[in-house]
Amino acid sequence: PQPMSRTLLGKNIACLFFVYLEAVVLMSLTLAVRVNFSLGQAVETVVVIGICATYLMALGNLSSVHYPRSLSPERVSQSGGNNRAQALVMMLYPAVLLPVILAYVARYAFESQTAFVVVLSIAAVIAVIFYGIAMESAVKTASTRRQLILEELSRGDGPVGS
């Protein structure tokens, strides 16, 4: 089998692909209905999406090894797994995305695009550091909890169970 770090990285690359695909579709629909937006707004959107996705992928990597759950490919849209774990992750979203939110607050408070770019750049650096630490922690956790993770994934209709 592949190392856990490579598996999580592959999952994250697939996540980024679909997040950016969704962004392109939404921008295309926006253009189709003739809502004007500038190239600067499009670039800002792409950058902010990347930074937010980095934070959320780090959180997802940690939750994948701490709260594993099996999913059936036929029932992906249905809720599965531990509702308490899902609630915890949902409550962490605003806290994890706080650096990006602060960039928008800085732009509003200082009425300055420069303040926005500076704070967003700091948020990006923090995101990369957070992702690296979370990846390392997730890999270590997966190796120490390997048996528990396999037991949890083999309960249900998921691919490990079948």
Side-chain angles (χ1 to χ4, degrees), residues 65-81:
V65 296
H66 285 283
Y67 306 107
R69 60 184 176 147
S70 63
L71 291 175
S72 170
E74 294 84 29
R75 298 186 329 171
V76 162
S77 63
Q78 294 178 358
S79 176

Side-chain angles (χ1 to χ4, degrees), residues 96-115:
V96 170
L97 296 176
L98 185 61
V100 176
I101 295 166
L102 288 176
Y104 286 99
V105 170
R107 177 164 54 189
Y108 175 77
F110 297 111
E111 296 179 3
S112 166
Q113 186 67 13
T114 304

